[in-house]
Amino acid sequence: MRIFEAGKTAVLAGLVASFVTLPGTAHALDENAVIQEQEKRSPWAVFRFAFSAYKRGDKEEALEAYRYAAENGQVGARWKLARMYAEGDGVARNDREAFKFFSAVAQQDVRPGSPDETYVSDALVALGKYLKTGIPDSPIRANPLAAQEHFMRAAATYRNPEAQYQVGRMFLDGDGVAQSVQQAARWFQLAAEKGHSGAQAMLGHILFESGRVVKGLAMMTAALDRAAPHDVGWIRAMQEQAFALAGESDRRTAIALAHDLRDNGFD
């Protein structure tokens, strides 16, 4: 089995430590007995072992355990392998491998509210982003229509805020769909209510452009304060441009309203 191909001794040591055995029997377990016992264990048990190995920094050991669990149908293990390959986390970055594992996760028939819902919705978003741009030097080409389908499934079925934001961007830009500011605002609103700073900023921008200067500027300002590092640049540029166009009175009112939005939410 692949789980024992790399770092077999370390993996076996960890598995032996995780077994519950009767007094006096631990020393009787040789390597073959451990392997036979592990073959009887559920993919979920191996997934938990992989998670523990990952948390303590043994990523090579975790990778092999995740791979075994994934090959035996464990959805969380497939998702984690996809993330590791997509981010180059403990393994060389490989977007094609990530795409393969994300695809395996997304194909699962998972009902909303189930324990695996987050894995599936996240995988759908990741696949949508890959399909939006394509993967260089691979058969995976840009396909805006397929990207939209993945984003829409995650947004509508699982109410994933990142997917809702992505659907909003596609409607705003007319990327693979008929351009519609109204539809874009609707999807941004759904994501904004869940705390998505990018959606909050874009909804604020739409409101500002439509003449609702104070509310729009307040939303952009509040979004900037809570934005993730990779979003700070574009949100700041948009907010500063709006701030420069607004009158002094509107600026002051917007700043006060931004504090209220941060404290009480965007719904």
Side-chain angles (χ1 to χ4, degrees):
M1 293 180 298
R2 287 189 181 179
I3 189 172
F4 300 109
E5 291 174 358
K8 178 187 288 187
T9 303
V11 174
L12 289 173
L15 293 172
V16 170
S18 69
F19 288 147
V20 178
T21 57
L22 295 174
T25 63
H27 296 293
L29 291 173
D30 60 15
E31 181 174 312
N32 289 332
V34 173
I35 293 173
Q36 292 170 3
E37 185 66 26
Q38 178 56 23
E39 287 176 340
K40 299 175 184 178
R41 302 189 73 195
S42 70
W44 169 245
V46 181
F47 175 73
R48 291 176 61 190
F49 169 77
F51 178 78
S52 297
Y54 182 90
K55 292 291 286 185
R56 65 174 177 265
D58 296 331
K59 293 186 179 180
E60 183 177 355
E61 186 177 7
L63 184 69
E64 293 303 315
Y66 279 132
R67 191 179 297 279
Y68 173 84
E71 289 173 349
N72 286 274
Q74 218 290 321
V75 177
R78 291 172 177 172
W79 174 86
K80 185 59 179 179
L81 283 172
R83 278 283 158 216
M84 292 177 77
Y85 277 111
E87 298 165 8
D89 181 15
V91 65
R93 177 172 174 172
N94 188 323
D95 288 318
R96 289 185 65 178
E97 280 294 292
F99 188 92
K100 180 183 76 174
F101 283 113
F102 279 133
S103 296
V105 174
Q107 290 169 6
Q108 302 299 305
D109 184 17
V110 173
R111 294 182 178 180
S114 75
D116 291 333
E117 173 185 344
T118 301
Y119 297 135
V120 175
S121 67
D122 182 81
L124 287 166
V125 171
L127 290 170
K129 290 179 178 179
Y130 278 131
L131 290 166
K132 194 173 181 179
T133 60
I135 298 177
D137 303 318
S138 83
I140 302 164
R141 303 287 185 246
N143 188 334
L145 182 58
Q148 180 208 1
E149 290 172 352
H150 283 76
F151 289 142
M152 189 64 76
R153 180 183 164 199
T157 303
Y158 300 110
R159 300 180 181 180
N160 182 292
E162 175 63 18
Q164 291 170 339
Y165 167 74
Q166 292 292 339
V167 172
R169 289 302 298 251
M170 295 184 81
F171 274 112
L172 188 64
D173 300 334
D175 185 10
V177 294
Q179 188 176 34
S180 171
V181 175
Q182 184 177 4
Q183 284 291 330
R186 171 177 172 265
W187 287 105
F188 287 144
Q189 178 70 40
L190 291 172
E193 290 172 357
K194 298 180 181 70
H196 192 290
S197 59
Q200 292 163 357
M202 290 306 303
L203 183 59
H205 174 71
I206 290 174
L207 292 173
F208 186 90
E209 291 293 310
S210 69
R212 299 179 63 182
V213 173
V214 172
K215 182 66 176 291
L217 182 56
M219 292 189 72
M220 285 184 276
T221 302
L224 178 60
D225 288 344
R226 64 201 310 176
H230 62 273
D231 287 327
V232 167
W234 69 267
I235 294 178
R236 175 179 286 118
M238 192 165 62
Q239 187 268 353
E240 289 180 348
Q241 182 180 27
F243 197 81
L245 293 172
E248 182 62 28
S249 177
D250 287 341
R251 293 176 187 174
R252 292 179 180 177
T253 307
I255 290 172
L257 180 57
H259 287 294
D260 183 65
L261 290 173
R262 285 193 296 268
D263 294 339
N264 300 311
F266 284 69
D267 52 355

